C-alpha cells in the first residue's frame, strides 16, 4: 500500500477517528515489511499533537513502540527465511548468488548504522529489519540499535511535525521530508555499491 492508495486526507481521518492506534499499527506494519507510508503517518500524528488534537508524548510513545516491535518482527522473518527468498528473487532477476553474498557482507559490516540511521531513508526503513536478520546480525546488538534508531527517528519526525506543522501546510511538510528521505537513500546505496564496484574492478584488472 502506498501513499497514493492511502491519501494524506485518509490518514488524517483515520488518525482523527482512531488516534494513537493508527500511529502504532501503521508504524509497526511498515517496519515489519509492509509498504505503508509510516513516515507520513508519524508526521500526521505529530501535526495533530501540534494542533492539540492528540497528546505529543503519547504519539511519540506509539511511534517508537510500533517501530521497535515491527522491526523485531522483520528481523526474525529475515533471520529464519529471508536468505532463501532473496536467492530465489536473485535467480528471477539474473543476479548471481556471489553478488548477493557480497551485498550481504557489505550490509553486515554496516548493519548497526543501517538499523539506526536507515529509519531516515526511504524504503530502507521497511527493509532494515529483515536485512539485519538475513545478515545474521547478533540479536542483542540489533535490539540496542533498533531501540536507539526508533526513538531517534520518532522523536525527530513527531517533533518536526509538532512545531513546523504550525508554520507550513502538512502536505508541504510531507513532501519535503519525503524528498530528503529519497536523496538520503540514494547516497546510502552509493556508499554500499561503490566499494563493491571498486573491488570487482580491481579483481578484473589483476586477472587481466
Amino acid at each position: 500500500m502506498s501513499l497514493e492508495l492511502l491519501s494524506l486526507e485518509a490518514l488524517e481521518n483515520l488518525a482523527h477517528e482512531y488516534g494513537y492506534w493508527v500511529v502504532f499499527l501503521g508504524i509497526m506494519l511498515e517496519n515489519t515489511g509492509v509498504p505503508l507510508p509510516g513516515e507520513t503517518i508519524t508526521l500526521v500524528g505529530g501535526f495533530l499533537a501540534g494542533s492539540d488534537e492528540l497528546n505529543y508524548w503519547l504519539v511519540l510513545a506509539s511511534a517508537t513502540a510500533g517501530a521497535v516491535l515491527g522491526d523485531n518482527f522483520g528481523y526474525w522473518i529475515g533471520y529464519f527465511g529471508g536468505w532463501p527468498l532473496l536467492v530465489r528473487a536473485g535467480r528471477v532477476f539474473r543476479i548471481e548468488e556471489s553478488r548477493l553474498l557480497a551485498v550481504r557482507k557489505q550490509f553486515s559490516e554496516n548493519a548497526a548504522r543501517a538499523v539506526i540511521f536507515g529509519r531516515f531513508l526511504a524504503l530502507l526503513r521497511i527493509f532494515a529489519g529483515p536485512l539485519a536478520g538475513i545478515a545474521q546480525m547478533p540479536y542483542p546488538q540489533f535490539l540496542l540499535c533498533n531501540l536507539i534508531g526508533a526513538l531517534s527517528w520518532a522523536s525527530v519526525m513527531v517533533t518536526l511535525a509538532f512545531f513546523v506543522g504550525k508554520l507550513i501546510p502538512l502536505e508541504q511538510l510531507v513532501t519535503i521530508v519525503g524528498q530528503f528521505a529519497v536523496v538520503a537513500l540514494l547516497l546510502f546505496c552509493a556508499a554500499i555499491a561503490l566499494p563493491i564496484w571498486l573491488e570487482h574492478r580491481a579483481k578484473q584488472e589483476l586477472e587481466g
Side-chain angles (χ1 to χ4, degrees):
M1 189 177 293
S2 64
L3 183 56
E4 287 75 23
L5 297 178
L6 193 61
S7 68
L8 182 59
E9 183 181 358
L11 285 173
E12 287 187 85
N13 290 336
L14 286 170
H16 278 297
E17 188 170 354
Y18 299 106
Y20 311 106
W21 281 109
V22 171
V23 177
F24 172 74
L25 292 174
I27 303 305
M28 184 190 72
L29 290 172
E30 186 204 36
N31 282 262
T32 301
V34 179
L36 286 171
E39 189 172 79
T40 303
I41 292 170
T42 309
L43 291 173
V44 168
F47 177 82
L48 293 179
S51 304
D52 295 323
E53 296 178 59
L54 294 176
N55 179 275
Y56 170 87
W57 296 107
L58 291 178
V59 172
L60 179 59
S62 299
T64 303
V68 169
L69 189 59
D71 240 21
N72 271 273
F73 288 144
Y75 173 88
W76 291 116
I77 290 171
Y79 189 92
F80 288 112
W83 179 248
L85 288 175
L86 191 60
V87 171
R88 289 194 193 109
R91 289 171 185 161
V92 171
F93 293 101
R94 298 181 179 179
I95 301 173
E96 296 178 1
E97 188 171 341
S98 59
R99 290 287 182 90
L100 293 176
L101 285 168
V103 172
R104 185 172 74 171
K105 181 176 178 291
Q106 192 69 22
F107 181 88
S108 181
E109 293 171 355
N110 297 275
R113 280 174 287 184
V115 173
I116 293 174
F117 299 109
R119 295 187 178 279
F120 295 91
L121 311 182
L123 295 181
L124 187 57
R125 183 170 57 256
I126 299 174
F127 298 113
L131 285 173
I134 290 172
Q136 305 286 296
M137 182 180 184
Y139 182 69
Q141 181 188 18
F142 169 78
L143 185 59
L144 177 61
C145 294
N146 185 24
L147 287 167
I148 294 171
L151 183 58
S152 301
W153 174 76
S155 297
V156 170
M157 292 296 108
V158 175
T159 304
L160 182 68
F162 183 88
F163 289 107
V164 179
K166 298 177 181 180
L167 304 175
I168 64 175
L170 177 59
E171 185 175 359
Q172 185 179 350
L173 176 61
V174 169
T175 300
I176 292 171
V177 172
Q179 290 172 343
F180 170 82
V182 170
V183 172
L185 175 66
L186 294 175
L187 293 175
F188 178 83
C189 290
I192 293 290
L194 185 60
I196 296 174
W197 179 77
L198 290 174
E199 183 180 350
H200 179 69
R201 183 177 178 183
K203 285 182 179 179
Q204 285 185 323
E205 290 178 353
L206 287 173
E207 291 172 355

